[in-house]
Amino acid sequence: MGNSKPLPTISCISVFALYFSFYTITLTSSTSLQDDFIKCLYRNTNVRFTLDKTFFTPERNASIFTEVLESTAQNQRYLTKTMPKPGFIFKPVHESHVQASVICSKKLEIHFRVRSGGHDYEGVSYVSQIEKPFVLIDLSKLRQINVDIKDTSAWVEAGATVGELYYRIAEKSKFHGFPAGVYPSLGIGGHITGGAYGSLMRKYGLAADNVLDAKIVDANGKLLDRASMGEDLFWAIRGGSGGSFGIILSWKIKLVPVPETLTVFTVTKTFEQDRSFKILSKWQEIADNLVDELFLRVFFTVSGNKANKTVTMAYIGQFLGEKGTLMEVMKKDFPELGLTQKDYIEMSWIDSIIYNSGFPTNPPPPIEILLQAKSPIGKVYFKGKSDFAKKPIPVLGLEGMFKKLLEEDAALVIWTPYGGKMDKIPESEIPFPHRNGTNFMIQYYRSWSDSEKRPNRRIKWIRELYGYMTPYVSSNPRQAYVNYRDLDLGQNKDNSKSNFIEAKIWGANYFKDNFNRLVRIKSKVDPDNFFRHEQSIPTLPV
């Protein structure tokens, strides 16, 4: 499909026959805008869809509408009563429905958001706080996956989850994998637009580094592939953030080789067991310089009761190889961790996905658990932030970080090592710029339940921790990972040309110098800024 693909057309008789066959469902409750949108959809596609399975409004059935809205929304902060809700939700079942949605939204001047997996940290894929009314295009019915082992590639539609993709790969081969995220409920459509890292990143880079082709609907409703969109736009969508350049329909990804046997381990140390920070300091020195096959993260959590709180560090490792080889690596490079033979667990790549995902492993669940769209951590209220460390954090800095962690109960900090393949890819190769010179990435995460009476206090705490870490992380700009979206860095106000000035600040945080190229591409492919949200790439001011 080297050329842009126009929408199929159908006769007016067919349009109205289709429309009136379903119109009785919504006649008594739909607004004029909803009716106009439906009519327009039918005029611009020849693929039928039934309204009761694809179109959801609070007027027609409030409980089903709420169920659909909340079905894949991961951050409950953006589902509270005070948050804006979409006027209606449309679930396309064919790519032409997405094309028609763009054409009709543009014609009717309807602002919309697009959701694949609902993991956006600030909910911008399903909530608009800057423009109302808005509607939601939910891609969850577009989830076909075609794995071609002979070609070492796969086409995966945007509504499919990472877990589904891994499962389908494992169905065909135990010697192939893909370097995307570890949480199986991630929607592949949006995940890759931010770069997407996982446990194979030190060996193979990001998911976005392993994309061969894509299908996208542009601001004119045209269906484009890599050849017809051009290399600039293809560059931008692989790490330049979702919701800015078009609607991703599917990715063609490159599968990567994995061994038949992997080895994993988890070793936990309390603050009392590493009070001098000898182990943690050694991790900072070596984690990004270990063999590329070894991915060793640190999870910091708070455990114990108020009278006996401590910070616990879980060292979670994955090695592309057998335990005998890994034992030699750890003995040589990180003996301080004190691993014993019983700590090493051999398993297949697909089983390692379940191990790393946070599912209970005693007994191990069947791999079919990857097919469920639910997150293993459940649906929670949370706030997240991110940083990149360019050098080891000194003991004084670690002492302050631990002191800050002990102020909370449900705090989580994750250190993810870089190095390996990540050092070898130029920072301008794709929009994701965090490459050579990065020791590790930091994620700060604070969650709470619906019974929390002072959520603002929890958000205040994570902001304070982030502030405390300032001297110990990257600067000028202070880098951040766009898939851990953080509106504290700044946001667009509305569809204003002045957004460019403010966006240069948070744009540099996420993309460094790549932001300037993203803006130029945006101004070329979407000059009217049709695709926009609180942190979408702006156009150049005129």
Side-chain angles (χ1 to χ4, degrees):
M1 53 174 276
N3 299 315
S4 63
K5 180 179 177 181
L7 279 171
T9 58
I10 54 176
S11 69
C12 291
I13 295 176
S14 299
V15 169
F16 288 108
L18 284 170
Y19 179 71
F20 284 112
S21 68
F22 295 108
Y23 187 71
T24 55
I25 298 175
T26 57
L27 179 63
T28 59
S29 57
S30 289
T31 65
S32 174
L33 185 62
Q34 293 164 359
D35 290 342
D36 290 343
F37 187 82
I38 295 169
K39 292 176 183 178
C40 183
L41 286 178
Y42 282 133
R43 280 195 296 268
N44 286 280
T45 178
N46 63 353
V47 181
R48 293 182 58 143
F49 56 92
T50 54
L51 288 179
D52 60 338
K53 294 182 179 180
T54 60
F55 200 87
F56 306 91
T57 70
E59 295 88 357
R60 180 160 37 122
N61 191 317
S63 62
I64 293 180
F65 172 83
T66 300
E67 179 182 337
V68 172
L69 175 62
E70 296 180 356
S71 60
T72 60
Q74 301 298 320
N75 194 343
Q76 302 297 291
R77 280 176 59 207
Y78 293 98
L79 294 177
T80 60
K81 292 182 179 179
T82 58
M83 282 291 168
K85 304 295 187 295
F88 55 84
I89 302 170
F90 178 52
K91 286 189 171 187
V93 296
H94 188 266
E95 59 189 22
S96 68
H97 300 160
V98 180
Q99 294 178 267
S101 296
V102 170
I103 290 172
C104 295
S105 296
K106 202 168 188 178
K107 178 180 180 180
L108 299 172
E109 298 184 343
I110 302 174
H111 181 59
F112 69 80
R113 297 297 168 98
V114 180
R115 179 172 72 181
S116 57
H119 274 264
D120 190 283
Y121 270 36
E122 300 281 15
V124 304
S125 63
Y126 51 93
V127 173
S128 172
Q129 299 184 72
I130 57 174
E131 291 184 72
K132 297 180 280 285
F134 71 100
V135 300
L136 175 59
I137 310 299
D138 185 311
L139 302 181
S140 58
K141 288 183 179 291
L142 299 175
R143 56 192 324 121
Q144 185 174 353
I145 300 170
N146 293 311
V147 177
D148 186 341
I149 294 300
K150 185 177 180 180
D151 187 52
T152 62
S153 68
W155 274 104
V156 51
E157 288 190 322
T161 64
V162 166
E164 287 175 305
L165 173 61
Y166 293 159
Y167 181 88
R168 298 305 173 196
I169 294 172
E171 271 188 324
K172 297 287 187 71
S173 169
K174 59 183 178 181
F175 298 105
H176 292 82
F178 185 65
V182 298
Y183 292 108
S185 57
L186 289 164
I188 199 71
H191 183 48
I192 294 180
T193 63
Y197 77 92
S199 57
L200 297 178
M201 65 181 286
R202 300 191 67 251
K203 181 66 175 178
Y204 297 114
L206 308 173
D209 295 322
N210 292 275
V211 170
L212 302 171
D213 203 340
K215 293 181 182 179
I216 183 174
V217 176
D218 72 4
N220 296 313
K222 291 183 177 180
L223 178 60
L224 309 173
D225 65 358
R226 180 174 182 173
S228 54
M229 76 176 77
E231 288 302 301
D232 270 353
L233 182 53
F234 184 64
W235 177 87
I237 62 177
R238 292 174 295 145
S241 179
S244 292
F245 301 98
I247 301 177
I248 299 293
L249 291 182
S250 57
W251 300 102
K252 184 181 183 182
I253 59 171
K254 178 176 66 177
L255 305 182
V256 300
V258 295
E260 185 175 5
T261 301
L262 283 73
T263 306
V264 300
F265 64 83
T266 299
V267 174
T268 300
K269 304 291 183 182
T270 64
F271 173 51
E272 288 70 28
Q273 291 173 308
D274 191 23
R275 189 173 288 275
S276 66
F277 298 108
K278 178 182 177 181
I279 300 172
L280 188 57
S281 295
K282 181 64 178 289
W283 181 93
Q284 293 189 86
E285 293 174 10
I286 57 96
D288 62 317
N289 293 309
L290 293 167
V291 294
D292 296 357
E293 290 79 11
L294 179 54
F295 180 70
L296 177 54
R297 293 191 291 173
V298 187
F299 285 64
F300 301 83
T301 55
V302 178
S303 59
N305 53 41
K306 289 185 178 180
N308 193 30
K309 267 189 186 181
T310 190
V311 176
T312 299
M313 293 152 281
Y315 292 83
I316 303 177
Q318 174 184 291
F319 178 69
L320 298 173
E322 298 178 349
K323 70 178 182 181
T325 307
L326 177 57
M327 289 172 66
E328 293 177 5
V329 170
M330 296 302 292
K331 183 178 180 179
K332 173 180 175 290
D333 294 328
F334 201 3
E336 293 84 355
L337 193 55
L339 283 166
T340 64
Q341 187 164 349
K342 67 178 183 180
D343 293 319
Y344 299 99
I345 306 170
E346 291 184 333
M347 59 181 61
S348 66
W349 172 74
I350 195 65
D351 286 329
S352 76
I353 296 297
I354 296 173
Y355 180 89
N356 286 315
S357 295
F359 288 111
T361 55
N362 191 17
I367 64 172
E368 283 74 20
I369 198 170
L370 296 174
L371 297 176
Q372 70 176 34
K374 296 179 181 178
S375 169
I377 61 175
K379 294 181 180 179
V380 295
Y381 300 76
F382 70 88
K383 172 65 180 176
K385 301 178 82 68
S386 62
D387 262 323
F388 288 84
K390 301 290 189 176
K391 58 185 179 181
I393 299 172
V395 169
L396 181 63
L398 296 175
E399 289 175 342
M401 186 184 90
F402 275 48
K403 182 179 179 181
K404 197 68 186 169
L405 285 172
L406 288 169
E407 294 177 4
E408 289 290 302
D409 297 322
L412 171 65
V413 173
I414 304 174
W415 287 5
T416 299
Y418 270 52
K421 183 71 170 180
M422 295 297 288
D423 280 353
K424 300 177 179 68
I425 300 174
E427 65 178 44
S428 61
E429 184 73 13
I430 63 173
F432 181 98
H434 318 293
R435 303 288 189 170
N436 190 26
T438 298
N439 284 27
F440 57 95
M441 181 175 66
I442 305 173
Q443 178 182 183
Y444 313 97
Y445 184 92
R446 179 60 169 97
S447 62
W448 58 90
S449 68
D450 56 3
S451 62
E452 173 62 55
K453 296 180 180 179
R454 295 182 290 183
N456 289 337
R457 182 175 177 178
R458 307 308 172 202
I459 296 174
K460 180 175 180 289
W461 173 83
I462 198 171
R463 288 170 175 163
E464 290 173 351
L465 174 60
Y466 181 79
Y468 168 80
M469 295 295 288
T470 302
Y472 308 112
V473 296
S474 62
S475 59
N476 299 315
R478 184 172 183 174
Q479 296 167 227
Y481 177 38
V482 72
N483 271 359
Y484 296 153
R485 192 182 304 283
D486 182 6
L487 293 183
D488 291 349
L489 300 176
Q491 57 182 297
N492 301 322
K493 298 295 188 296
D494 49 31
N495 188 19
S496 170
K497 296 295 183 181
S498 65
N499 285 331
F500 172 74
I501 305 300
E502 295 184 17
K504 286 197 296 184
I505 299 173
W506 57 258
N509 297 134
Y510 291 138
F511 308 112
K512 298 177 69 175
D513 291 340
N514 291 336
F515 176 71
N516 295 321
R517 184 179 176 188
L518 287 169
V519 171
R520 291 195 298 270
I521 295 170
K522 169 73 171 183
S523 301
K524 179 181 178 180
V525 303
D526 184 17
D528 296 326
N529 199 27
F530 177 72
F531 295 108
R532 58 186 184 271
H533 56 70
E534 284 77 0
Q535 277 189 347
S536 58
I537 302 298
T539 56
L540 285 166
V542 178

